[in-house]
Amino acid sequence: MSQYETGRKAAHEQGMKIRREVLGDAHVDASVDKMTPVTEKFQDFITRTAWGDIWNRDALDHTQRRLLTIAILTAVGNNGELDMHLRAALRAGIDPDLLGEVLLHTAIYAGVPNSNHAFKLLDAAAKDLEK
């Protein structure tokens, strides 16, 4: 195995570890189970780069990264990923009120309609967690 391939493998392994810590085993297992030859390269790419590199950096802790991710997903209206990250943040113990503050702040700078929908997702996720 070349040094390049060894590095890619190590980044993938570290990425899977962090991905599981942030999103949970159930989500990651479902993503892996749905993987096809068409999506395999993208799954490898996102695992190595987003999770193995960016989420592995020391400058921001995982809570800060979670809050930034939620703000960005709200701003761009990526509701599927937003719902997943809101639920993961709640499962990790991030207070719904703190998440609400992020959504309020995002409303001012990125638009009220996107934050309005984000609040609906947060409310549903928080209610589901209470069950």
Side-chain angles (χ1 to χ4, degrees), residues 9-71:
K9 184 176 189 238
H12 188 274
E13 289 172 0
Q14 180 63 25
M16 284 301 272
K17 178 179 177 268
I18 292 172
R19 189 175 178 189
R20 287 181 181 285
E21 287 173 13
V22 173
L23 299 177
D25 287 332
H27 173 81
V28 176
D29 289 343
S31 293
V32 170
D33 289 345
K34 288 188 261 182
M35 196 166 46
T36 69
V38 173
T39 64
E40 182 178 20
K41 289 178 183 174
F42 180 74
Q43 286 294 316
D44 176 61
F45 166 76
I46 200 74
T47 300
R48 284 183 297 102
T49 57
W51 301 107
D53 184 11
I54 301 303
W55 277 79
N56 197 33
R57 298 174 64 84
D58 293 331
L60 300 172
D61 64 31
H62 281 187
T63 297
Q64 292 167 322
R65 289 190 190 282
R66 287 175 190 275
L67 299 178
L68 281 168
T69 300
I70 288 165

Side-chain angles (χ1 to χ4, degrees), residues 74 77-80 82-83 86 103 111-124:
T74 299
N78 189 329
N79 296 322
L82 174 60
D83 187 51
L86 285 167
L103 300 181
V112 170
N114 285 350
S115 288
N116 182 43
H117 188 73
F119 266 106
K120 290 176 186 172
L121 292 174
L122 174 58
D123 189 50

Side-chain angles (χ1 to χ4, degrees), residues 82-126:
L82 174 60
D83 187 51
M84 174 185 65
H85 279 277
L86 285 167
R87 291 172 183 276
L90 290 169
R91 283 192 309 272
I94 296 178
D95 190 289
D97 290 336
L98 177 58
L99 295 172
E101 287 298 320
V102 169
L103 300 181
L104 283 171
H105 194 80
T106 305
I108 298 303
Y109 292 97
V112 170
N114 285 350
S115 288
N116 182 43
H117 188 73
F119 266 106
K120 290 176 186 172
L121 292 174
L122 174 58
D123 189 50

